[in-house]
């Protein structure tokens, strides 16, 4: 016995029909502009009024609307066979540098001449409309150039390139995507620092700790041989003088590890964001110098970590960094970083002029005495100042060009 078909109410049947009609008309609705939808509604209402009330003017309005819609369909007939390439070279520039711009290279590999049309290309939050002329069959590539905004640090999504075909009244439009989007990285401006100062970032041999070791590179003292000691570290001259085996005692060392913490709280900076850009540039300059010296880097921000495997990856991460709506406080960032990366030898905290020095000092004290600690207020103008506060160092950096001098002074505090 066949199972009984479940009974459906009239409303459920109506809803099912409406969904089916919506799916069927989806491709059609996608090409109708708001103006086209308005005209369609006016046409239907006028036709209904003309039939219902015998209003002859309504019938004429409906007929005119139908003619306009029918004529608009003619402009959508046929398919363009285009070859479109979106070119953005170079894909990485520094903020403020002149960029040669992007290019859209369009050609017609088809057998029929194409009609003129518009090609839209988005550039971040803005969009460009490029006029593509009529192209004859097997035409040579037609380059269409456009400018890209590179004045400020950002990651700009360029594209995709989308062709727009439609009627002159804008009632119907058909949009076809031709390319994928391309990312343009506008890196922060940085300065070259000759070195970070011996004593600020230790050299590759490492920074000595207070932990004794039987095997390392930093010699500490001599002691009497004990069973199990490695005989390679026997000091034979001292053994001859003392009349008993003497071995070298070492202290553990660790490779220099720079940690950079960048505040992303909007209340820590000026309203126009100049100080935040300054702080990002300082972080980039310090990180690049450390990477050139083959130092290990860990960078944390109130918006999340920044990858620092190599210079390009590091600058790409900084290019997309923005102030956060709910940033993690500096003290919390410092506590978490100290807990997860105990091997840090140097830490730099960066914030703006509106942040208090007391808050900066509290965050710096989350790291132990064996860690070199520097707090920097990035300023928009003013005077650059460097001062010691106990075992800490605080600096107010008024300009990016002052950074090299600041690091020279800090290394000698």
């Amino acid at each position: 016995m066949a199972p009984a078909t479940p009974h459906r109410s009239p409303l459920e049947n109506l809803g099912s029909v409406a969904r089916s009609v919506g799916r069927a008309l989806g491709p059609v609705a996608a090409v109708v502009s708001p103006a086209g939808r308005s005209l369609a509604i006016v046409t239907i209402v006028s036709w209904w009024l003309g039939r219902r009330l015998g209003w002859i003017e309504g019938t004429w309005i409906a007929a005119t609307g139908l003619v306009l819609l029918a004529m608009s369909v003619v402009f959508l007939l046929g398919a363009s066979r285009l070859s479109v390439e979106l070119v953005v070279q170079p894909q990485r520039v520094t903020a403020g540098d002149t960029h040669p711009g992007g290019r859209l290279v369009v050609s017609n590999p088809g057998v029929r001449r194409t009609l003129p049309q518009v090609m839209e290309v988005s550039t971040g939050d803005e969009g460009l409309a490029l006029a593509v002329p009529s192209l004859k069959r097997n035409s040579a590539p037609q380059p269409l150039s456009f400018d890209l905004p590179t004045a400020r640090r950002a990651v700009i999504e360029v594209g995709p390139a989308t062709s727009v075909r439609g009627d002159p009244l804008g009632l119907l439009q058909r949009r076809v995507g031709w390319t994928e989007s391309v990312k343009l990285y506008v890196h922060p401006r940085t300065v070259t620092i000759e070195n970070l100062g011996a004593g600020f970032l230790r050299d590759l041999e490492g920074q000595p700790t207070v932990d004794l070791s039987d095997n390392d590179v930093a010699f500490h003292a001599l002691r009497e041989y004990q069973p199990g000691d490695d005989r390679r570290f026997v000091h034979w001259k001292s053994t001859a003088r003392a009349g008993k085996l003497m071995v070298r005692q070492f202290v553990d060392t660790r490779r220099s590890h720079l940690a950079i913490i960048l505040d992303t709280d909007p209340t820590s900076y000026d309203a126009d964001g100049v100080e935040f850009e300054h702080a990002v540039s300082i972080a980039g300059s310090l990180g690049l110098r450390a990477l050139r010296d083959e130092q290990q880097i860990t960078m944390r921000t109130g918006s999340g970590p920044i990858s620092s495997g190599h210079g390009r990856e590091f600058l790409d991460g900084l290019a997309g960094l923005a102030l956060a709506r709910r940033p993690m406080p500096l003290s919390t960032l410092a506590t978490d970083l100290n807990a997860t990366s105990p091997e840090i030898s140097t830490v730099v905290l960066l914030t703006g002029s509106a942040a208090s020095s007391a808050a900066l000092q509290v965050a710096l004290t989350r790291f132990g005495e064996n860690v070199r600690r520097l707090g920097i207020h990035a300023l928009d103008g003013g005077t650059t100042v460097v001062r010691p506060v106990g075992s800490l160092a605080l600096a107010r950096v008024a300009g990016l060009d002052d950074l090299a001098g600041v690091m020279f002074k800090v290394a000698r505090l």
Side-chain angles (χ1 to χ4, degrees):
M1 182 176 180
T5 302
H7 177 71
R8 302 179 67 181
S9 67
L11 288 179
E12 290 176 333
N13 290 329
L14 182 60
S16 177
V17 171
R19 286 190 293 271
S20 299
V21 172
R23 286 192 295 269
L25 296 180
V28 177
V31 303
V32 182
S33 68
R37 287 193 289 269
S38 299
L39 179 60
I41 293 173
V42 170
T43 300
I44 294 172
V45 172
S46 299
W47 175 81
W48 183 83
L49 290 175
R51 291 291 304 270
R52 184 78 173 177
L53 304 178
W55 184 36
I56 189 63
E57 289 84 355
T59 304
W60 280 109
I61 292 173
T64 303
L66 285 174
V67 170
L68 291 175
L69 289 172
M71 292 177 61
S72 300
V73 172
V74 175
F75 289 88
L76 302 185
L77 296 178
S80 298
R81 292 187 60 190
L82 296 177
S83 174
V84 183
E85 181 184 6
L86 179 61
V87 180
V88 178
Q89 287 294 339
Q91 286 186 245
R92 289 170 174 83
V93 295
T94 301
D97 287 354
T98 301
H99 192 276
R103 286 183 296 116
L104 204 62
V105 183
V106 186
S107 60
N108 176 20
V111 295
R112 291 190 298 270
R113 191 180 188 94
T114 64
L115 293 174
Q117 54 191 300
V118 175
M119 196 76 70
E120 292 184 352
V121 180
S122 61
T123 56
D125 296 332
E126 300 179 356
L128 300 172
L130 305 175
V132 180
S134 175
L135 300 175
K136 62 182 180 180
R137 63 178 186 177
N138 296 322
S139 64
Q142 178 78 30
L144 304 173
S145 300
F146 54 91
D147 295 328
L148 291 170
T150 58
R152 294 180 65 87
R153 176 186 58 85
V155 178
I156 302 172
E157 196 86 17
V158 183
T162 304
S163 64
V164 182
R165 289 181 57 189
D167 60 280
L169 297 179
L171 302 178
L172 303 180
Q173 287 185 344
R174 186 169 68 181
R175 308 175 69 88
V176 179
W178 294 95
T179 69
E180 300 292 335
S181 59
V182 179
K183 286 186 178 181
L184 171 64
Y185 294 90
V186 184
H187 291 162
R189 192 170 73 90
T190 58
V191 293
T192 301
I193 305 173
E194 290 299 326
N195 58 70
L196 294 180
F200 184 73
L201 268 184
R202 314 297 180 182
D203 59 25
L204 291 177
E205 184 178 89
Q207 177 185 0
T209 69
V210 296
D211 301 323
L212 296 179
S213 171
D214 291 329
N215 185 359
D216 213 298
V217 296
F219 174 72
H220 174 62
L222 294 171
R223 63 170 175 81
E224 188 175 349
Y225 174 84
Q226 297 178 359
D229 287 341
D230 192 334
R231 296 202 177 195
R232 291 178 301 169
F233 301 124
V234 172
H235 195 271
W236 295 107
K237 290 184 179 180
S238 298
T239 296
R241 288 196 298 267
K244 54 185 176 182
L245 284 176
M246 303 293 294
V247 296
R248 297 179 180 88
Q249 179 80 60
F250 301 90
V251 291
D252 281 334
T253 60
R254 60 184 178 189
R255 192 168 182 266
S256 294
H257 184 168
L258 172 64
I260 302 174
I261 299 178
L262 179 59
D263 189 3
T264 56
D265 188 345
T267 63
S268 300
Y269 300 91
D270 56 352
D272 56 9
V274 174
E275 290 182 354
F276 181 64
E277 295 302 318
H278 186 193
V280 174
S281 292
I282 292 175
S285 301
L286 294 175
L288 288 179
R289 178 67 263 178
L291 287 172
R292 291 190 196 103
D293 293 338
E294 299 183 355
Q295 308 293 335
Q296 185 178 353
I297 300 178
T298 299
M299 182 165 182
R300 295 288 185 271
T301 75
S303 305
I306 298 293
S307 298
S308 55
H310 51 79
R312 189 176 71 177
E313 180 184 49
F314 179 59
L315 291 177
D316 285 351
L318 291 179
L321 185 62
L323 292 168
R325 292 184 179 180
R326 296 181 179 178
M328 188 177 295
L330 275 178
S331 58
T332 304
L333 281 170
T335 301
D336 292 349
L337 184 56
N338 186 50
T340 56
S341 302
E343 74 282 1
I344 288 172
S345 58
T346 305
V347 62
V348 178
L349 269 63
L350 291 160
T351 187
S353 62
S356 67
S357 296
L360 201 57
Q361 292 178 49
V362 169
L364 287 171
T365 54
R366 297 293 190 267
F367 299 90
E369 294 287 337
N370 60 332
V371 177
R372 294 298 301 270
R373 296 164 290 177
L374 170 62
I376 295 179
H377 290 274
L379 310 179
D380 180 17
T383 304
T384 296
V385 178
V386 179
R387 62 188 177 92
V389 181
S391 59
L392 313 176
L394 297 181
R396 299 177 68 84
V397 182
L400 187 59
D401 294 334
D402 296 340
L403 182 59
V406 168
M407 300 311 299
F408 181 82
K409 294 177 182 178
V410 169
R412 281 153 182 76
L413 290 179

